[in-house]
């Protein structure tokens, strides 16, 4: 029996990106399907979040995500540009958010096709692995998406024609994310039990193994 896990994911979250390698290994090694469900980051979901958060919040996220990446051997650098348009001094978040709206809607479209994990793995590297400055320019995203079997231009065209369809998907993801019992990302949900953070994947695996999660059978050659 194939087990199923929801993964609530933000394209601005460093820890969401850092969760992807372990998540992909789980899918490869175990009889498991991970349904990646994109949500907007806190900067969009909770207006004024950074105005009320501790000034230590951002500093700690930068410190911790950087050392997690070093410990896990994951190529890592914060995206250039930031997927959220935000004044780094006042922390004001702009009303217009072209980057994160595009990325999250693209993820929602891939979710409808049942391939959001593959799509997100492909484009997240362009944002986060440090190999590209100006990920939003040229054909960086298009080439990454193509390697995963996606036509980015066609996706953008479909979303432009009917953005509300994909906003509805995102809104439903955010509703289910909140109902899971957590607000942060990445949050994995298995049988209505939330596991928050890339550092809870081992605990998630332990829980699923206790319910009978099996390894995939090796193919005979």
């Amino acid at each position: 029996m194939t087990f199923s896990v929801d993964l609530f994911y933000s394209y601005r979250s460093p820890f969401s990106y850092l969760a992807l390698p372990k998540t992909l290994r789980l899918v490869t090694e175990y009889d498991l399907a991970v349904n990646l469900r994109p949500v907007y980051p806190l900067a969009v979901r909770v207006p004024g979040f950074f105005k009320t958060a501790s000034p230590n919040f951002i500093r700690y996220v930068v410190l911790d995500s950087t050392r997690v990446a070093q410990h896990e051997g994951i190529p890592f650098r914060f995206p250039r540009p930031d997927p959220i348009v935000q004044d780094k001094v006042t922390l004001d978040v702009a009303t217009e958010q072209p980057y994160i709206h595009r990325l999250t809607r693209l993820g929602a479209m891939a979710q409808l096709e049942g391939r959001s994990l593959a799509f997100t793995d492909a484009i997240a590297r362009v944002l986060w692995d440090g190999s590209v400055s100006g990920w939003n320019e040229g054909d960086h995203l298009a080439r990454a998406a193509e390697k995963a079997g996606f036509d980015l231009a066609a996706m953008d065209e479909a979303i432009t024609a009917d953005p509300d369809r994909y906003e509805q998907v995102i809104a439903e993801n955010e509703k289910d994310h909140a109902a899971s019992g957590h607000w942060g990302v990445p949050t994995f949900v298995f049988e209505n039990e939330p596991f928050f953070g890339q550092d809870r994947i081992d605990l998630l695996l332990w829980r699923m193994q206790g319910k009978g999660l099996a390894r995939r059978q090796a193919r005979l050659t």
Side-chain angles (χ1 to χ4, degrees):
M1 179 183 70
T2 300
F3 281 46
S4 180
V5 169
D6 283 342
L7 166 55
F8 295 100
Y9 184 101
S10 160
Y11 291 98
R12 195 203 198 187
S13 161
F15 296 109
S16 289
Y17 164 71
L18 294 170
L20 288 174
K22 281 187 177 180
T23 302
L24 291 164
R25 285 198 295 272
L26 285 183
V27 171
T28 299
E29 296 176 9
Y30 293 90
D31 193 4
L32 174 68
V34 173
N35 310 309
L36 188 146
R37 303 178 62 180
V39 298
Y40 284 122
L42 284 170
V44 174
R45 280 188 287 132
V46 184
F49 171 81
F50 289 97
K51 292 285 192 177
T52 58
S54 166
N56 289 327
F57 176 84
I58 294 176
R59 288 195 291 268
Y60 187 80
V61 167
V62 172
L63 168 67
D64 196 42
S65 58
T66 301
R67 68 186 175 196
V68 167
Q70 292 170 346
H71 180 262
E72 300 292 334
I74 300 172
F76 178 79
R77 187 190 67 195
F78 278 80
R80 302 177 183 176
D82 187 336
I84 287 288
V85 181
Q86 181 177 19
D87 189 301
K88 296 301 187 291
V89 177
T90 66
L91 301 181
D92 288 327
V93 175
T95 302
E96 296 295 323
Q97 292 292 336
Y99 304 143
I100 199 62
H101 283 159
R102 181 191 183 200
L103 290 169
T104 311
R105 290 169 183 171
L106 286 168
M109 185 174 189
Q111 177 188 337
L112 289 176
E113 297 181 6
R115 297 190 293 154
S116 52
L117 180 60
F119 174 79
T120 298
D121 177 55
I123 67 167
R125 297 172 191 241
V126 177
L127 272 71
W128 290 95
D129 73 5
S131 63
V132 170
S133 293
W135 58 264
N136 58 312
E137 301 171 347
D139 63 351
H140 298 303
L141 289 182
R143 287 190 291 110
E146 184 179 15
K147 291 178 181 177
F150 294 88
D151 183 334
L152 192 69
M155 295 174 76
D156 280 328
E157 184 177 351
I159 292 168
T160 299
D162 190 7
D164 288 347
R165 180 186 183 193
Y166 305 100
E167 284 297 317
Q168 289 173 4
V169 173
I170 297 164
E172 190 67 23
N173 290 346
E174 292 178 350
K175 176 183 174 183
D176 290 346
H177 181 203
S180 76
H182 212 283
W183 58 92
V185 289
T187 292
F188 298 81
V189 180
F190 171 66
E191 294 186 346
N192 299 316
E193 183 178 5
F195 297 80
F196 166 62
Q198 53 80 31
D199 55 345
R200 289 296 181 266
I201 293 177
D202 290 343
L203 193 62
L204 167 66
L205 176 59
W206 167 79
R207 174 66 82 206
M208 293 189 295
Q209 288 175 325
K211 296 293 184 80
L213 177 68
R215 286 187 175 272
R216 295 190 186 276
Q217 295 182 354
R219 294 181 179 178
L220 297 177
T221 57

